[in-house]
Amino acid sequence: MTRSAKKILSIGCVILLLSGTASSCKKRNTGSSQDASAVAETQIRNTLDDFFAYIKIAKTDKIGDRTDDPARVKEYLQEVTEVSGNKPFETACRRVDAEVVSVTSSDKKSSAKVKISYADPMAIKEKATQEGGFADIGKLSEEIADVSVITDEFAMDLVYEDGAWKIKSGSTKDLLKVLFGYLTEKDLIAEVPETTKDPEPLNISVFDAYWVNEKGMEVGGYHCSSNDICLYVYAWNSYTNVDIKYEYIDVSGEILYTNSFHMKRDTDWIACAWKPGRTLPEGDIYCRLYDPSGEEFHTSKVTIYNDAERIPFPITWMEDSGWFDKDGNPVEFYTKDAALFEYRGSSLKPYQGMSLKYRFVDDEGTVLYEGKMDIEQETENFTFSMELPEGYTIYPEDTAETTKETSASSTETEETTTEPAVPEEPKHITLIVEIEDGQPFLQSTVEVRKTDAVYTPDETEAPSETSAA
C-alpha cells in the first residue's frame, strides 16, 4: 500500500472515531432527558395519589397541601361542610375513587388525565326535590352512601414550584365543585319549621376554648395594637341553625363589642371574632357567650399586653394547680418556718419537646433558687420545688425584735399606753417559669405568714395563670 493510501485510510479512521464519539454523547443526553421525564411523571402521579388519598379520608386540613393555593381549597371545603355538615361530606369523600390515566409534562408545567368515580350528584338532588328536602344530615348521608356512582375523566393542570409538583388551584376547585358542589345547595335538607316559642336553654357544655391570632394559631394574649382578636370555643355536642351571641367586656363591665356566630349544620365550634380598630388599653378583657335563650354558658379571659412586652406561652392551667406543702397537701399560704416550697401545675392539654427555666424570688427580687426542666415526653403535669437557701430568713427582723424584747424585760419600764396592733403585711415567694427563649410560661405568687401575726387582706395581683375547671 502506498504512503498516500495509508494516509487517506488513517484520516478516514479518525473521522469514524470522532463520529462514533459524537454519536455516543448524543445517546447519553437523550437517556438523561428520558430519565428526568420519568422522574417528573412519577412525582406528578405521587402528588395526585396523595391528593385523592386525602379526599378519600376527608382530611380537609391536608387536601390543599398538594395544590398551589391551600388556603383557597380550605376555604371552599369549609363552605361545603358549613352548609351541609361534616357527615354528608365525609360520606361523599369515601365514595370517591381515582385513577391517573396519563401524564404529560415539561420543565415547569404538566397536565394529567384522571378517571374519577363519585356519587351521582344529579340523582341525589332529584331525590331531595321529590322529598322536599331530606329530613336531616343523617338521611342525606344515607342517600349519598346508597346512590349509584358515575365515572368521568378530568384534565388536571400542575405546576412545578418550590421544588415540588402542585395541582393548580383552578383545576382543583373545578374538580371539587363537581365532587361536592351539590352539598352547598341549601334545599338538600328540609327547612326547620319556624316556631314562635321562646327558645329553651340549650345547656351547652364547653370542653375547650382558646385564643388565636389571624392565622388561627393559639396565643397567650394580644398586644395593644392587635387588629385581630378571636376566641375559639368547642362544645361537647353539635348544633344546627343556632345563633350564639358573644360580647367583649373590660374589667369594669363595660361592653366593648357585641356580635353573633351562626352554628349552621352539625357544628360543634364557635368563633368569637373581633377587629378592635383602635389601640386597646393594657389589662384583662373577657368574652362571654350566650345561647339563644340568653343564658350565659361560657366566659374566657385574655390579657392585653404592652406592645414592647413579650406575650406568654399559650397554656391553660386546671383549677387543681397550686402550691403544696412537704406532705403533698394544697396550701393557700406558707408559714415562716416552711423550708420546702412546691408548685404543681396541671395543664388542659399535654406538651412535650420544650425546655423550661424557672426561679423562685422574694419580694425584693432576690433569686432564692434557679432550675431547669426538659420536657421530653408528653405530659400534662409540671412540678417546681425549692428548699430555702441555708442561712436565708424570710422574716429577718424577728431576730432584732427578740433581742429588743429580752433587753426590755431586764429593765424597769415607764408606764406605757397600749395602742391597737397595726396589721402586718405578709411576705411573698414568687415562682417565675419561662421557655428557654425567654417567653413567659407561668408565674404564681404565694404568701408567707408569721404564725402569730394579724394580716390585712393580701391585695397583690393574682397569679398570671389561665385556669380551666
Side-chain angles (χ1 to χ4, degrees):
M1 182 181 293
T2 65
R3 181 179 298 177
S4 177
K6 288 182 179 179
K7 185 174 182 181
I8 292 171
L9 179 61
S10 176
I11 293 172
C13 289
V14 170
I15 293 172
L16 287 173
L17 287 172
L18 290 173
S19 175
T21 302
S23 175
S24 175
C25 291
K26 184 176 182 181
K27 187 175 182 180
R28 283 200 299 272
N29 289 337
T30 302
S32 298
S33 176
Q34 289 175 345
D35 291 344
S37 178
V39 170
E41 180 175 343
T42 299
Q43 292 174 343
I44 291 166
R45 287 179 177 272
N46 290 340
T47 296
L48 292 168
D49 287 345
D50 289 347
F51 174 73
F52 285 105
Y54 285 133
I55 288 179
K56 190 75 174 178
I57 59 176
K59 289 288 288 183
T60 55
D61 58 334
K62 292 290 187 181
I63 293 173
D65 288 355
R66 296 299 183 269
T67 73
D68 64 350
D69 192 352
R72 186 180 179 187
V73 173
K74 187 176 182 180
E75 182 181 358
Y76 179 72
L77 294 177
Q78 184 174 349
E79 177 188 349
V80 171
T81 54
E82 283 183 354
V83 174
S84 295
N86 291 323
K87 190 174 180 179
F89 172 71
E90 292 168 0
T91 305
C93 285
R94 286 196 295 269
R95 303 219 63 191
V96 175
D97 289 300
E99 176 189 355
V100 180
V101 177
S102 64
V103 174
T104 303
S105 65
S106 61
D107 290 343
K108 296 295 182 181
K109 295 181 180 180
S110 74
S111 61
K113 289 184 179 179
V114 185
K115 184 184 292 184
I116 305 175
S117 299
Y118 54 99
D120 186 352
M122 292 304 299
I124 295 170
K125 290 194 288 185
E126 287 176 7
K127 186 69 174 293
T129 301
Q130 293 170 5
E131 298 187 4
F134 297 105
D136 51 38
I137 61 173
K139 293 296 183 182
L140 172 57
S141 300
E142 291 175 7
E143 180 63 24
I144 296 172
D146 295 338
V147 76
S148 60
V149 297
I150 57 175
T151 301
D152 288 324
E153 195 170 275
F154 295 85
M156 303 190 71
D157 296 324
L158 295 92
V159 62
Y160 191 80
E161 59 180 34
D162 299 329
W165 285 100
K166 298 179 181 180
I167 307 168
K168 296 192 72 173
S169 58
S171 294
T172 306
K173 191 163 185 182
D174 289 344
L175 175 63
L176 295 178
K177 282 184 176 180
V178 172
L179 299 180
F180 310 115
Y182 66 96
L183 292 175
T184 63
E185 298 182 13
K186 298 180 180 179
D187 56 357
L188 287 179
I189 299 176
E191 292 186 5
V192 179
E194 294 185 5
T195 177
T196 56
K197 291 183 179 179
D198 292 334
E200 295 289 334
L202 295 179
N203 298 318
I204 299 176
S205 179
V206 173
F207 79 87
D208 195 10
Y210 55 89
W211 299 88
V212 298
N213 59 19
E214 66 278 4
K215 296 180 180 179
M217 303 296 292
E218 185 175 2
V219 296
Y222 299 93
H223 284 126
C224 294
S225 61
S226 294
N227 295 319
D228 294 276
I229 294 177
C230 186
L231 173 69
Y232 279 174
V233 178
Y234 290 85
W236 282 106
N237 299 314
S238 298
Y239 299 89
T240 298
N241 198 30
V242 171
D243 285 313
I244 300 297
K245 176 188 173 183
Y246 63 89
E247 61 185 17
Y248 282 87
I249 61 174
D250 62 19
V251 292
S252 67
E254 180 182 353
I255 297 176
L256 306 174
Y257 178 74
T258 300
N259 207 334
S260 63
F261 180 85
H262 184 63
M263 303 177 78
K264 294 184 179 178
R265 297 284 184 184
D266 194 28
T267 306
D268 63 357
W269 63 278
I270 304 162
C272 304
W274 175 31
K275 292 182 177 294
R278 66 182 187 277
T279 300
L280 296 174
E282 297 178 48
D284 294 332
I285 60 174
Y286 301 82
C287 183
R288 288 182 179 168
L289 285 77
Y290 305 86
D291 72 8
S293 72
E295 180 176 312
E296 178 186 339
F297 65 89
H298 183 76
T299 298
S300 280
K301 180 185 76 172
V302 69
T303 302
I304 307 299
Y305 295 90
N306 185 284
D307 285 353
E309 194 172 352
R310 190 80 180 270
I311 293 177
F313 182 84
I315 186 170
T316 299
W317 297 104
M318 304 299 288
E319 286 188 343
D320 59 357
S321 301
W323 296 86
F324 290 77
D325 63 19
K326 59 183 179 61
D327 298 319
N329 300 312
V331 296
E332 294 184 2
F333 62 88
Y334 292 94
T335 57
K336 67 177 182 179
D337 55 348
L340 177 69
F341 293 78
E342 183 171 280
Y343 186 93
R344 300 179 186 178
S346 299
S347 61
L348 179 64
K349 302 174 185 177
Y351 296 88
Q352 71 177 121
M354 64 172 63
S355 293
L356 304 176
K357 55 183 179 180
Y358 63 95
R359 62 188 182 274
F360 292 84
V361 301
D362 61 15
D363 288 328
E364 284 69 43
T366 303
V367 178
L368 307 178
Y369 181 80
E370 289 183 290
K372 186 178 179 182
M373 179 185 298
D374 292 321
I375 312 300
E376 298 177 352
Q377 296 183 343
E378 192 174 83
T379 183
E380 301 165 5
N381 301 308
F382 302 83
T383 300
F384 308 94
S385 59
M386 169 199 71
E387 291 188 4
L388 285 178
E390 186 175 350
Y392 179 84
T393 304
I394 295 178
Y395 284 90
E397 66 273 16
D398 283 356
T399 303
E401 290 177 356
T402 303
T403 303
K404 182 178 179 181
E405 291 173 359
T406 303
S407 174
S409 63
S410 61
T411 59
E412 294 183 0
T413 58
E414 297 180 358
E415 184 178 354
T416 58
T417 302
T418 303
E419 296 182 359
V422 178
E424 186 169 0
E425 293 291 335
K427 302 287 187 178
H428 305 87
I429 297 293
T430 299
L431 167 67
I432 302 172
V433 187
E434 299 172 337
I435 306 295
E436 195 171 30
D437 66 358
Q439 184 180 19
F441 183 80
L442 166 69
Q443 182 168 321
S444 183
T445 299
V446 66
E447 292 183 19
V448 184
R449 301 179 179 179
K450 290 184 179 180
T451 54
D452 56 351
V454 177
Y455 294 94
T456 57
D458 190 356
E459 297 182 358
T460 57
E461 292 186 3
S464 59
E465 307 162 6
T466 303
S467 298

